Amino acid sequence: MNKPVQIKAQEPPVSLYAKREPVFNRRIDGKFRRIKWAIMALCLAVYWITPWLRWDRGPYAPDQAVLIDLAHRRFYMFGIEIWPHEFYFVAGLLIMAGIGLFLVTSAVGRAWCGYACPQTVWTDLFQHVDRLFDGDRNARFRLYKAPWTASKIARRLAKWSVYLAISFATGGAWIFYFADAPTLHQEFWSGTAAPVAYGTVLVLTLTTFVLGGFMREQVCIYMCPWPRIQTAMLDEKSLIVTYKDWRGEKRGSLKKAQKNPEEYGDCIDCNQCVAVCPTGIDIREGAQIGCITCALCIDACDRVMAETGRPRGLIDYATLEDAENEKAGNAPTRHMKLIWRPRTILYFCVWAAIGLGLLFTLGTRVHTGLTVAKDRNPPYILMSDGSVRNAYTLRLRNMQGRPRDMEIAIEGLPGAVMWTEDMAREAAARSLVRKVAADATQGVRVYVVAPAGSTDQSFDFSVQAVGEPGEADSSQAKFDTPGGE
Amino acid sequence: MADKRLDEATNTETVGHEWDGIEELNTPLPRWWLWTFYATIVFAIGYVIAYPALPGISQASEGMLGWSSRGQLDAEMSSAAATRAKAVAGLADLPIEQLPQHPQLMRAAVAGGAAAFKVNCVQCHGAGAAGSKGYPNLNDDDWLWGGDLKTIETTLIHGIRQPGDDATRISLMPNFGSDGLLDAGQINDVAGYVLSLSGKEKKSAATQRGAQIFADNCAVCHGDNAKGNRELGAPNLTDAIWLDGGSKAEVAAQIHHPHHGVMPAWGERLDPVTIKMLAAYVHSLGGGEEFAAPVAAEAPAADAAQETD
Ligand code: SF4
Ligand code: SF4
């Protein structure tokens, strides 16, 4: 820019902070609204019902189908049980979720934001509560402006209690994923649940109350990082909610358009698209960060188009490329064709590869494990007969829901035998059998003694579930001697 | 009035500032953001009032809640003590020989002993209990005074060569060299003989002479076969372990003017339960003797899922 900027001495003070403009969105019915109801119902149902599903794992493990057992560090998901050292499963799922978001975003834009994001689901629910208590858009606006009379206060308090009740029932239900749901439910109401349960319910109820009841679109616009990332994920081939300005402009009322059909476009400037928008934006200004692609404005405008006898789709899901295409007078491309393109296929392949990798690992994992830690201080002990002893702490892992006998053996290290603290030294042998409780680990300190003259070397400890070929693991260990360095 | 206008790309008002063609857009922060910031300030002030925070010359402000890190430490210490007391309840009344019959208690005792060892014993015996020259290695199977639970406990209570303790065990090897009982050549011969018993020295005329000197001067304590005598704390000279070094010079030095280690009598300083735990720990290091038949086949309680990797 070459134009010099003149700054006048007296600038009116501009506030750095903007007051929130509350959104009073109108009720709308239509195809996308119904899809949203269905998805909301599905999400809430899955969320509520999941912890109550049972799954029989035998007497040694909890029978809750999905359980995050923090105290015992186990994660149960139907037939799958994840141990802490298998956290890569969880990491893998999170990576899949991330790539899944990339995939969805590049294919169908911010579908997650518009339909499935908890913030959207709760905002939607709470906006419905608003309508139940205060009426639709105009009535709500009037009430908002009205002075704080006793009746307004009463109505507000009543509405906020319903907010709270919903927050409690939805946010609070999260605790059932962390403990046996029926037991916790009973304990919760009888006042005997753990303090952390009450604390969690309190925190989640309050955050739901504040974020869903009051912050709403502010969360989407200012607090959530995802829209910023998404703007980078979107390209001209992503499906987003678009106002077709070449068709709508110039805006004019029905009357004007009838008088002057050449000059005016299809938009009758009725503002219905703005009135229904849950984030209070005007989609006719173009794609913007505030738009969560909930498609309610499509429902609203389609209805107006039907009433004015014009084709639907003045506001519609479209890609920028397709919008240009249509503008040039060509036929629109089918959406399905748009979704599958190199970029989305690549995302899908990466996503699927990780998924298959996880499934493969899950299918081939062994339920028996062994880790070995060698005593470093002292590294070796010279025994009176000249033999050398090293000590190791073995950890046997029984990832099966029943107690199992496990045989530990020394492989290599000629002439060496081992014994443990709780057996007589004379009974030392090349292999020992230990019983490991169901779904538990057991530490065993073993002494390995090798004949005089042994040298520093590596050998293996192996573990094998008795009577279960294939259920085995091994771990390398080092044997130190006085002769070594 | 500055050059206010709408930015074309975003339809946002500009504030009129421009640097190298980059214009500043007027995008005000939401006001709740400001209030959240104020709330954090209020919280900080409340925090400073409630908790010790403001530094003073000798002491920080105390805070309204009366909380202190020292107080918290005390609370945690006493709760740890209570936990420990529960785990080792009954240890006080149990004769130590019977400890192996109570695997649960045994495990708790070994764990407690390991902690007490780190406080009281590592100075001489080392963190891994491997000792060093003159300080016995407690991991091996060579015991000067006996290595069963009961004897270890006795050693702990009364010490070795501890002045002032009537029940302490004392033994003194004569200063064969410095008191002129043997001459240097004799000492060299007997050292060679002693080393030959464990194969560290070849048999020769010198070791032959040493054998005779040994029979005359040393066998009374170390035994005719040199296998030692635990009554006297006389070491076994035929094994591979040498407390004061196994080279010929070191053995000769020990004969010339012996070094006598002192083990303090811990009975004066530690309570009987701690001593029992220490004995159990030392016994568990791998050389403990007379471990009554393998502990009942009772499956060791799964050390719970809690302590998984
Ligand atoms: S709802 Fe449709 S016709 Fe009405 S203002 Fe919005 S775009 Fe124009
Ligand atoms: S502009 Fe339309 S799609 Fe975007 S948030 Fe508003 S109503 Fe939903």
Side-chain angles (χ1 to χ4, degrees):
Chain A
M1 279 210 187
N2 308 327
K3 186 176 46 145
V5 181
Q6 315 103 30
I7 297 176
K8 284 231 182 115
Q10 289 280 294
E11 261 192 61
V14 185
S15 172
L16 293 173
Y17 299 96
K19 195 163 173 283
R20 175 184 175 226
E21 292 300 333
V23 176
F24 306 102
N25 59 332
R26 243 200 52 179
R27 213 169 81 84
I28 182 67
D29 195 20
K31 181 171 125 197
F32 292 106
R33 175 68 265 183
R34 283 194 292 273
I35 296 178
K36 269 173 76 72
W37 282 130
I39 292 178
M40 182 200 286
L42 182 73
C43 289
L44 286 174
V46 168
Y47 172 68
W48 264 322
I49 294 170
T50 305
W52 298 87
L53 301 177
R54 303 289 100 185
W55 190 267
D56 186 10
R57 295 192 182 86
Y60 298 101
D63 65 352
Q64 183 152 322
V66 175
L67 178 66
I68 304 165
D69 191 346
L70 289 181
H72 301 105
R73 299 193 219 162
R74 294 285 184 279
F75 174 52
Y76 300 94
M77 179 129 180
F78 299 97
I80 303 169
E81 182 187 334
I82 303 289
W83 281 51
H85 70 278
E86 297 174 307
F87 195 75
Y88 53 83
F89 281 119
V90 180
L93 286 178
L94 289 176
I95 294 171
M96 281 179 76
I99 295 177
L101 274 175
F102 290 1
L103 171 63
V104 168
T105 303
S106 60
V108 291
R110 295 176 63 180
W112 165 261
C113 294
Y115 298 91
C117 173
Q119 176 65 17
T120 289
V121 169
W122 264 284
T123 299
D124 216 1
L125 195 60
F126 281 42
Q127 279 169 342
H128 200 67
V129 174
D130 284 347
R131 274 180 220 120
L132 283 180
F133 275 84
D134 304 341
D136 210 353
R137 180 173 161 91
N138 296 339
R140 274 160 67 203
F141 185 66
R142 270 198 309 277
L143 189 65
Y144 173 74
K145 286 278 174 210
W148 284 92
T149 59
S151 103
K152 178 172 169 178
I153 292 174
R155 276 169 82 169
R156 277 287 186 263
L157 287 181
K159 185 173 79 174
W160 291 340
S161 340
V162 173
Y163 280 4
L164 258 185
I166 294 177
S167 307
F168 173 74
T170 54
W174 184 226
I175 56 169
F176 294 126
Y177 284 82
F178 296 87
D180 182 57
T183 318
L184 182 59
H185 186 259
Q186 207 217 333
E187 285 174 354
F188 188 88
W189 292 110
S190 64
T192 52
V196 62
Y198 294 106
T200 310
V201 169
L202 184 72
V203 167
L204 292 177
T205 302
L206 289 182
T207 45
T208 312
F209 181 66
V210 173
L211 298 184
F214 302 94
M215 305 285 294
R216 297 189 179 172
E217 81 289 344
Q218 301 279 303
V219 174
C220 304
I221 297 174
Y222 295 103
M223 294 167 76
C224 177
W226 189 227
R228 322 268 154 185
I229 303 169
Q230 274 177 320
T231 39
M233 303 298 313
L234 295 171
D235 60 19
E236 65 283 357
K237 289 183 196 292
S238 311
L239 211 48
I240 52 171
V241 173
T242 316
Y243 165 71
K244 298 176 180 164
D245 55 356
W246 74 93
R247 185 181 142 191
E249 303 295 316
K250 161 184 179 197
R251 304 169 197 169
S253 67
L254 264 184
K255 263 199 206 128
K256 284 190 198 159
Q258 267 162 6
K259 273 194 214 140
N260 215 337
E262 288 310 304
E263 193 183 336
Y264 291 99
D266 280 352
C267 174
I268 61 166
D269 212 6
C270 62
N271 259 336
Q272 289 305 306
C273 50
V274 180
V276 298
C277 178
T279 63
I281 60 167
D282 186 346
I283 191 65
R284 294 173 300 172
E285 286 171 6
Q288 51 205 288
I289 207 162
C291 175
I292 56 172
T293 71
C294 65
L296 292 184
C297 53
I298 303 182
D299 278 344
C301 190
D302 278 354
R303 192 170 264 236
V304 174
M305 291 298 111
E307 277 164 18
T308 59
R310 292 168 179 171
R312 68 163 294 276
L314 173 55
I315 302 177
D316 206 354
Y317 271 115
T319 68
L320 286 182
E321 193 181 72
D322 201 31
E324 291 299 316
N325 198 18
E326 252 187 90
K327 194 182 204 164
N330 302 324
T333 329
R334 298 268 355 119
H335 284 161
M336 271 303 142
K337 249 188 169 166
L338 293 165
I339 290 175
W340 291 108
R341 56 203 163 90
R343 184 164 149 178
T344 54
I345 291 173
L346 180 71
Y347 280 140
F348 179 78
C349 290
V350 175
W351 182 83
I354 298 175
L356 289 176
L358 289 181
L359 278 180
F360 178 77
T361 320
L362 197 63
T364 53
R365 69 183 181 152
V366 177
H367 299 84
T368 305
L370 173 71
T371 45
V372 174
K374 183 183 188 303
D375 275 14
R376 297 249 155 242
N377 179 18
Y380 59 81
I381 295 294
L382 180 66
M383 303 302 273
S384 53
D385 61 359
S387 59
V388 181
R389 196 190 79 207
N390 283 201
Y392 304 85
T393 303
L394 271 47
R395 197 153 269 284
L396 303 176
R397 212 185 287 127
N398 175 13
M399 296 164 63
Q400 219 50 302
R402 58 194 152 80
R404 293 197 292 175
D405 285 329
M406 293 198 179
E407 182 173 20
I408 325 161
I410 297 175
E411 287 176 0
L413 201 60
V417 289
M418 63 179 159
W419 79 96
T420 65
E421 281 168 353
D422 51 7
M423 62 187 274
R425 207 183 313 165
E426 294 68 35
R430 295 281 289 177
S431 72
L432 311 168
V433 174
R434 305 292 297 222
K435 195 177 227 27
V436 185
D439 195 30
T441 65
Q442 189 187 103
V444 188
R445 200 170 129 85
V446 304
Y447 299 110
V448 173
V449 62
S454 298
T455 51
D456 277 15
Q457 57 190 293
S458 289
F459 69 103
D460 285 327
F461 280 109
S462 70
V463 64
Q464 152 96 58
V466 174
E468 293 175 81
E471 276 292 311
D473 192 15
S474 72
S475 185
Q476 203 182 49
K478 197 163 172 289
F479 192 84
D480 289 318
T481 60
E485 67 295 36
Chain B
M1 171 78 201
D3 189 17
K4 281 219 179 143
R5 46 181 206 87
L6 289 184
D7 172 62
E8 271 169 36
T10 61
N11 265 344
T12 314
E13 206 179 295
T14 64
V15 297
H17 305 156
E18 187 225 304
W19 296 270
D20 292 342
I22 299 171
E23 285 182 280
E24 186 182 350
L25 303 187
N26 182 8
T27 321
L29 276 178
R31 191 168 284 284
W32 55 259
W33 198 294
L34 183 68
W35 287 108
T36 308
F37 175 60
Y38 289 157
T40 61
I41 294 176
V42 172
F43 178 85
I45 293 171
Y47 195 92
V48 165
I49 295 172
Y51 288 96
L54 302 174
I57 301 288
S58 60
Q59 213 186 349
S61 60
E62 289 203 345
M64 301 275 284
L65 296 183
W67 182 94
S68 71
S69 50
R70 193 170 284 270
Q72 186 173 12
L73 175 72
D74 287 345
E76 278 171 17
M77 291 291 280
S78 50
S79 95
T83 316
R84 189 189 96 144
K86 217 164 76 197
V88 297
L91 197 56
D93 303 325
L94 186 75
I96 194 160
E97 309 87 281
Q98 287 171 27
L99 197 49
Q101 272 105 64
H102 305 267
Q104 202 80 41
L105 206 49
M106 180 81 178
R107 267 194 292 279
V110 168
F117 190 89
K118 292 210 159 45
V119 179
N120 300 294
C121 315
V122 295
Q123 293 80 351
C124 293
H125 291 283
S132 64
K133 198 171 156 187
Y135 298 92
N137 182 344
L138 304 177
N139 292 277
D140 64 28
D141 57 346
D142 193 26
W143 298 92
L144 292 171
W145 303 88
D148 60 295
L149 278 167
K150 180 78 199 155
T151 314
I152 295 174
E153 187 193 30
T154 306
T155 305
L156 273 158
I157 294 173
H158 298 292
I160 300 294
R161 304 185 187 96
Q162 163 76 8
D165 189 308
D166 293 340
T168 199
R169 281 159 298 170
I170 299 176
S171 67
L172 291 175
M173 175 157 159
N175 299 333
F176 286 105
S178 55
D179 287 353
L181 301 174
L182 295 173
D183 64 35
Q186 287 171 310
I187 289 178
N188 201 42
D189 288 346
V190 78
Y193 167 70
V194 164
L195 286 166
S196 76
L197 294 174
S198 49
K200 294 188 91 172
E201 183 100 349
K202 290 233 164 46
K203 288 210 176 359
S204 65
T207 61
Q208 283 296 312
R209 290 196 300 277
Q212 191 52 49
I213 300 163
F214 185 88
D216 295 344
N217 297 281
C218 316
V220 58
C221 291
H222 290 282
D224 290 336
N225 52 12
K227 288 208 181 288
N229 181 349
R230 287 184 175 178
E231 299 281 298
L232 304 169
N236 181 345
L237 302 176
T238 64
D239 64 17
I241 293 168
W242 299 88
L243 178 59
D244 292 284
S247 73
K248 194 161 180 186
E250 286 166 321
V251 173
Q254 185 67 7
I255 299 168
H256 177 82
H257 191 106
H259 160 261
H260 295 112
V262 175
M263 158 98 179
W266 291 97
E268 297 161 10
R269 308 232 332 243
L270 300 176
D271 62 279
V273 168
T274 307
I275 294 212
K276 270 184 193 154
M277 295 198 293
L278 276 172
Y281 171 68
V282 169
H283 190 271
S284 81
L285 287 170
E289 292 175 342
E290 284 176 37
F291 195 75
V295 179
E298 168 225 346
D303 29 7
Q306 278 94 303
E307 52 157 315
T308 46
D309 355 359

